[in-house]
Amino acid sequence: MHRDCEVYRAEGFKALSKVEIRANGQRVLASLNVVDDETIVACGQLGLSKAAFAQIDVPEGHTVSVSQAEAPESISALHRKLGGERLGPDDFRAIVRDIAEHHYSKIELTAFVVATHRDELDREEVFFLTEAMIEVGRRLDWHEPLVVDKHCIGGLPGNRTSMLVVPIVAAHGMLCPKTSSRAITSPAGTADTMEVLAQVELPIEKLQDIVRNHRGCLAWGGSANLSPADDVLISVERPLSLDSPGQMVASILSKKIAAGSTHLVLDIPIGPTAKVRSMPDAQRLRRLFEYVARRMKISLDVVITDGRQPIGFGVGPVLEARDVMRVLENDPRAPIDLRQKALRLAGRLIECDPDVRGGDGFAIARDILDSGRALAKMNALIEAQGTRSFDHNHPPLGALSLEVRAERDGIVVGIDNLQIARIARFAGAPKVQGSGVDLLCKLGDPARAGQPLYRIYAAYASDLEFARQASAKSSGYTIGHADQMSHVFVEF
């Protein structure tokens, strides 16, 4: 709003105050920013973000009314949480409803996220929050007794196991409606990588048809309106780099239950630069997931995996899609770690089938992959969702590249997941699909001084320079001796 606008000069309007805009029966809450330049906004005009325009759904130039926004009904519950009080189910329902209906400003959202992060929700509060998040969104019902899904808590670059697990279990005949998120701070999410191969933004009716006809999908979850409050909270949590256990559990389980899943395999990687750093932390998180899942009546199988390094070779949408297709085609260049991890997770899901004996899942999954049935199922899903041309032998990578080389002789004893992800983001991933990092060495590999450790791809010189500067400060690789390698207990 312009500083000289009569409305702005009214009592109570000031920069960053919360205002309500109404038009055509719609309303949007917004934080007020003030400008002095009439070429941006003139007196008597409001400028809205694209998201706000979409929410209010009126054309540019439409007449609107603006007023001071009233506090959300749940603000008293938020204040009590800020004061360290324990909240009940009705409190969480009120807060989540106001969040889903966009009654909270960014400042109020941040206050809720920080309050629940700082004071750690107890396990009953996590259950209340999960339940409330499910209630405010759409809930799918596939009218089948067994609906499976797989999820990873995140933090590992290149960990595209879902794009292998879904076609494997769907080829086995199990229903697996996989709706995934886009990356916010990582170099690629499952939806970003699948978008290299097929359309992922599908109307809910088309998504349901694909799942019924092909027993699975790999789509972006935003259009399904599953747990909409979670999408709002994520927009605040990620920039703050806050991912408390309680919020993580509520986020993951609310979306899986809303998607109609009855059985979930959950991957918790642990490692020095993963989200979870130790086995005791992993076990505490596991128990919290299991408690809430039991209360929500969803069968949960937690798998603790090795998170010491990225999974696969590629970090970035095109590079990760290349790795996935090579695994599906049983190409000898396919990353073994991605193949093996996907088979183990798919095997655990297949063992949810009452006709499969415990322990047989891995062999069944391997047979489906080796026989080409998983590839055929993936191709069917790609065609159903809307094919995009892609050749893994000639992936459309960024035209600019840079190799990061070892500074000394030795073996690779450490890879920093966070730094590799950061470099790939600087290179342009995921917005520029062909940008990212291609790993040439993994843990335990020998390295000689001057040998390339990884190759950075970028489409723009500025992106490549940002990535180069980041890699110069820290390559993300530690070269040393075998006895220096970090170890982790891995449970499958």
Side-chain angles (χ1 to χ4, degrees):
M1 187 179 291
H2 195 280
R3 188 179 303 278
D4 294 332
C5 178
E6 289 184 7
V7 175
Y8 170 66
R9 293 161 68 177
E11 182 67 26
F13 283 86
K14 57 184 178 181
L16 298 182
S17 62
K18 191 167 64 172
V19 297
E20 180 177 279
I21 302 157
R22 290 182 177 271
N24 200 28
Q26 303 292 327
R27 74 169 191 158
V28 63
L29 295 177
S31 296
L32 179 59
N33 291 292
V34 183
V35 300
D36 296 295
D37 188 344
E38 286 200 3
T39 62
I40 299 174
V41 174
C43 291
Q45 292 182 334
L46 293 179
L48 294 180
S49 67
K50 288 184 178 180
F53 258 122
Q55 191 178 330
I56 202 167
D57 194 27
V58 296
E60 187 174 348
H62 196 283
T63 301
V64 301
S65 65
V66 59
S67 61
Q68 298 173 38
E70 296 182 4
E73 291 183 9
S74 65
I75 201 70
S76 61
L78 173 59
H79 288 162
R80 285 190 283 113
K81 193 61 190 173
L82 286 167
E85 288 188 32
R86 182 180 182 279
L87 300 184
D90 291 339
D91 296 320
F92 281 106
R93 287 191 192 97
I95 290 173
V96 170
R97 184 172 57 250
D98 278 337
I99 290 173
E101 294 175 359
H102 302 279
H103 293 169
Y104 274 27
S105 68
K106 287 287 186 183
I107 294 172
E108 289 161 340
L109 286 169
T110 302
F112 176 71
V113 167
V114 172
T116 53
H117 175 81
R118 181 193 64 201
D119 294 320
E120 278 301 321
L121 302 172
D122 67 34
R123 65 181 193 171
E124 274 220 316
E125 285 182 298
V126 177
F127 166 66
F128 297 150
L129 177 58
T130 306
E131 196 173 42
M133 289 169 73
I134 294 169
E135 288 178 5
V136 299
R138 183 197 302 263
R139 187 165 182 176
L140 303 179
D141 184 354
W142 301 101
H143 304 289
E144 294 200 19
L146 184 63
V147 181
V148 300
D149 203 348
K150 166 262 162 194
H151 191 85
C152 176
I153 67 167
L156 284 193
N159 192 26
R160 290 285 76 83
T161 53
S162 292
M163 292 178 65
L164 298 166
V165 170
V166 171
I168 289 172
V169 300
H172 180 67
M174 305 175 86
L175 196 73
C176 188
K178 180 66 177 172
T179 56
S180 304
S181 61
R182 293 187 181 277
I184 297 178
T185 59
S186 63
T190 297
D192 300 300
T193 304
M194 184 64 183
E195 196 168 36
V196 174
L197 308 174
Q199 298 284 345
V200 296
E201 296 190 12
L202 306 173
I204 186 65
E205 295 78 12
K206 182 174 181 179
L207 184 148
Q208 289 174 311
D209 286 343
I210 291 170
V211 171
R212 291 190 183 100
N213 292 331
H214 298 280
R215 309 298 291 171
C217 70
L218 283 156
W220 176 57
S223 58
N225 197 35
L226 305 175
S227 189
D230 184 51
D231 296 326
V232 179
L233 289 172
I234 284 174
S235 70
V236 174
E237 291 168 357
R238 296 295 171 83
L240 294 172
S241 297
L242 294 179
D243 201 2
S244 70
Q247 290 166 353
M248 181 194 299
V249 170
S251 171
I252 292 171
L253 291 183
S254 67
K255 285 197 168 178
K256 298 307 172 186
I257 294 167
S261 299
T262 62
H263 292 69
L264 173 66
V265 167
L266 182 72
D267 174 17
I268 300 181
I270 61 173
T273 57
K275 276 188 181 179
V276 178
R277 306 292 173 90
S278 69
M279 183 59 76
D281 287 345
Q283 295 291 7
R284 278 192 292 273
L285 184 60
R286 174 187 201 153
R287 287 193 293 271
L288 181 56
F289 266 108
E290 289 174 340
Y291 171 80
V292 177
R294 188 164 55 249
R295 293 282 302 268
M296 299 302 301
K297 295 181 172 53
I298 180 174
S299 176
L300 178 68
D301 181 10
V302 175
V303 184
I304 299 174
T305 60
D306 188 345
R308 292 174 297 165
Q309 63 177 335
I311 302 296
F313 299 131
V315 180
V318 164
L319 289 163
E320 294 176 22
R322 176 204 65 188
D323 286 355
V324 166
M325 294 310 297
R326 286 180 177 176
V327 172
L328 286 168
E329 293 189 7
N330 295 298
D331 190 304
R333 296 168 295 176
I336 298 299
D337 59 346
L338 178 61
R339 171 188 162 93
Q340 290 300 105
K341 183 172 184 178
L343 286 175
R344 291 193 179 276
L345 293 171
R348 295 286 277 259
L349 274 181
I350 288 171
E351 288 172 14
C352 296
D353 183 342
D355 295 329
V356 173
R357 188 173 56 187
D360 287 352
F362 181 89
I364 294 171
R366 184 178 57 198
D367 177 66
I368 291 170
L369 181 60
D370 290 347
S371 68
R373 283 185 286 154
L375 175 62
K377 178 59 70 174
M378 182 60 147
N379 287 336
L381 292 176
I382 290 171
E383 183 177 355
Q385 291 185 203
T387 305
R388 290 186 168 172
S389 177
F390 180 76
D391 179 1
H392 72 80
N393 291 307
H394 302 95
L397 295 169
L400 306 175
S401 64
L402 168 72
E403 289 183 342
V404 175
R405 301 175 181 273
E407 295 181 351
R408 53 179 288 195
D409 292 349
I411 67 168
V412 178
V413 297
I415 301 179
D416 187 329
N417 291 306
L418 298 173
Q419 182 64 0
I420 294 299
R422 186 166 177 261
I423 292 168
R425 290 278 297 190
F426 278 135
K431 287 187 177 180
V432 182
Q433 290 185 330
S435 298
V437 171
D438 199 12
L439 304 178
L440 306 176
C441 292
K442 301 293 287 283
L443 282 180
D445 288 346
R448 299 190 65 83
Q451 175 184 335
L453 298 172
Y454 55 86
R455 189 175 294 114
I456 303 170
Y457 288 97
Y460 304 102
S462 57
D463 289 350
L464 188 66
E465 177 60 18
F466 287 139
R468 186 199 65 76
Q469 290 177 11
S471 65
K473 289 180 182 177
S474 171
S475 69
Y477 272 63
T478 302
I479 308 299
H481 304 290
D483 57 359
Q484 296 175 294
M485 190 176 299
S486 62
H487 295 282
V488 67
F489 293 103
V490 182
E491 178 179 307
F492 278 113

